[in-house]
Amino acid sequence: MVQVWGPGAVRAVEACFRPARGGGLMLGPAGRLRLGRMGRGAGDEVVAVVLEGEPPAVEIQCHGGPAATELVLEALEGAGVGRAGVEQWAAAQAATRIRAEALVDLPHAPTLRAAEILAEQAGGALDRELEGLDAEIRGGRLDRAIGRADRLLADGRVGVRLREGWRAILAGAPNVGKSRLLNALAGFRRAIVAPTPGTTRDVVTATAAFDGWPVLLADTAGQRAAEDPVERHGIDRARRMADSADLVVLVLDLSRPLEESLGVASGWPRGRSLVVANKADLPAAWGLDEPSLRGLRALRVSAERGDGLDDLTAAIAKAIVPGPPAPCAGVPFRARQVEGLGRVRAALRAGDVAAAIRAIESLRGWA
Ligand SMILES: Nc1nc2c(ncn2[C@@H]2O[C@H](COP(=O)(O)OP(=O)(O)OP(=O)(O)O)[C@@H](O)[C@H]2O)c(=O)[nH]1
Ligand SMILES: [Mg+2]
């Protein structure tokens, strides 16, 4: 999609638009779609529409993909139109800086839920929330203001992840079914599954939605004392990834003695772990109340048959986002916004009303 805006927008597009059925771009009212071609040679087939506004802008939908779009851009440049980045476009579109930031981030949302939340912010939800916060501060209701800032900062932990998603790693001993589980959770055959222990040697990833939250799942090499240097390298990478992941899903094999797969569990961070007892379709070799699990609650799953996957999906979602933002809430979604809110809250805690108001202004204003 190409948008041309500014005082000469319609004239410039008119100069290079070849309508399919006669009549110029401005034939009929604004908002009417016009089919035509743009660009040298045959150019690209496009649908152009004049958008009401003062001055009116023109939106051009190109049909031929990125390379054909270049033909359209080249023609527009010939008509005196300059190129702008998406940030500049958003700044020209949006009434506030935060709404412009949301317009830039929205097309990158990996899931519907992420898109919904960002679309709310593009519609002004966070701006309205900050106006409310400002009103509480100016009204002297500092406790309430601190409460609102706390809530915004809590939601910001979710908001800043909407674009890139969270990272969860499937870890465990060789052959417990990590790759099979990745495929089952991702819904397609991404990783190689084989009965031979040590099948996965590098980190294989797939993005999936868990209750609407985008999560990059990483399948890793099974943890064991490997002789093979390639496998050992994969095992080291898995350990490093586990350290920086948001969540470690430790996979155990329910059909084999627990010691075989639990040995590798030592050292995984407890707070960010979920435990899965896989191969629940086979006769169990141990019980979920084994003392050696040290109170860790394991979820029974059969990656092969799909049993327990809904519960596991829900548990992963809950582990990464324990408290989702309320529907339609104002949610900070950039680190810059979260930092700004941190300054607002610090000023409020210090009782410095003027500094808190300034911090909101700088958070909302164009830098
Ligand atoms: N019966 C049964 N077999 C399973 C299940 N999950 C995996 N398997 C089988 O267990 C074997 C190992 O599965 P993988 O997914 O390759 O195991 P892995 O943990 O990725 O193994 P490495 O890559 O070697 O670390 C394969 O033969 C799978 O078909 C399950 O839920 N039930
Ligand atoms: Mg594997």
Side-chain angles (χ1 to χ4, degrees):
M1 200 261 279
V2 176
Q3 191 157 325
V4 186
W5 77 92
V10 174
R11 211 175 336 109
V13 180
E14 192 99 66
C16 38
F17 179 75
R18 303 189 293 281
R21 274 198 286 136
L25 194 61
M26 288 299 276
L27 192 76
R32 156 119 13 128
L33 302 177
R34 306 282 302 164
L35 184 69
R37 303 198 77 86
M38 290 178 77
R40 72 189 139 88
D44 191 16
E45 183 186 77
V46 301
V47 169
V49 56
V50 176
L51 304 173
E52 219 163 320
E54 205 34 68
V58 186
E59 188 172 303
I60 303 164
Q61 313 275 352
C62 303
H63 291 172
T69 301
E70 270 305 312
L71 290 173
V72 175
L73 292 173
E74 202 185 82
L76 287 167
E77 277 175 327
V81 176
R83 287 196 195 209
V86 67
E87 310 271 345
Q88 252 177 298
W89 164 79
Q93 295 292 308
T96 71
R97 182 179 185 188
I98 289 172
R99 290 173 71 163
E101 288 170 330
L103 279 182
V104 171
D105 288 354
L106 180 56
H108 299 280
T111 66
L112 209 57
R113 191 169 192 177
E116 272 168 8
I117 297 175
L118 288 170
E120 287 289 345
Q121 316 317 312
L126 180 54
D127 279 303
R128 285 191 292 278
E129 185 62 37
L130 292 172
E131 279 158 20
L133 179 60
D134 186 75
E136 301 278 23
I137 298 171
R138 289 177 196 268
R141 297 177 293 276
L142 295 199
D143 284 347
R144 289 179 58 157
I146 290 175
R148 282 178 92 138
D150 283 344
R151 187 197 62 71
L152 278 166
L153 282 163
D155 284 350
R157 280 202 287 277
V158 177
V160 294
R161 294 305 193 88
L162 292 175
R163 222 181 120 159
E164 307 302 334
W166 287 259
R167 282 160 24 106
I169 171 168
L170 298 171
N175 219 43
V176 294
K178 299 177 298 300
S179 299
R180 187 72 191 84
L181 191 57
L182 174 96
N183 292 347
L185 289 171
F188 62 99
R189 280 203 218 157
R190 176 71 180 84
I192 299 169
V193 175
T196 339
T199 301
T200 306
R201 280 144 175 255
D202 204 350
V203 178
V204 177
T205 58
T207 300
F210 291 85
D211 199 15
W213 307 120
V215 177
L216 182 76
L217 281 171
D219 172 29
T220 60
Q223 299 287 305
R224 65 173 177 180
E227 294 289 316
D228 181 306
V230 178
E231 188 183 349
R232 221 168 39 229
H233 188 71
I235 291 172
D236 288 346
R237 265 197 84 184
R239 281 192 185 276
R240 281 199 303 277
M241 277 196 86
D243 288 339
S244 64
D246 298 298
L247 179 70
V248 176
V249 179
L250 177 68
V251 186
L252 306 174
D253 186 338
L254 194 56
S255 72
R256 305 279 312 158
L258 182 56
E259 309 79 72
E260 284 183 20
S261 43
L262 196 57
V264 299
S266 58
W268 294 123
R270 279 267 186 122
R272 297 183 286 127
S273 304
L274 269 181
V275 183
V276 169
N278 188 36
K279 308 197 187 181
D281 54 296
L282 299 176
W286 48 276
L288 298 185
D289 53 356
E290 286 285 339
S292 52
L293 282 172
R294 298 191 307 267
L296 287 175
R297 210 173 69 79
L299 289 158
R300 282 167 60 92
V301 160
S302 166
E304 198 78 30
R305 287 212 320 227
D307 308 341
L309 285 184
D310 287 347
D311 285 349
L312 174 58
T313 300
I316 291 175
K318 185 107 185 98
I320 54 164
V321 183
C328 309
V331 176
F333 52 93
R334 287 211 176 173
R336 179 194 80 77
Q337 298 160 359
V338 171
E339 280 157 22
L341 272 161
R343 281 193 290 277
V344 174
R345 185 171 64 179
L348 287 172
R349 288 208 170 134
D352 190 342
V353 169
I357 290 172
R358 272 201 312 278
I360 294 181
E361 273 167 10
S362 86
L363 170 54
R364 298 193 62 203
W366 303 93

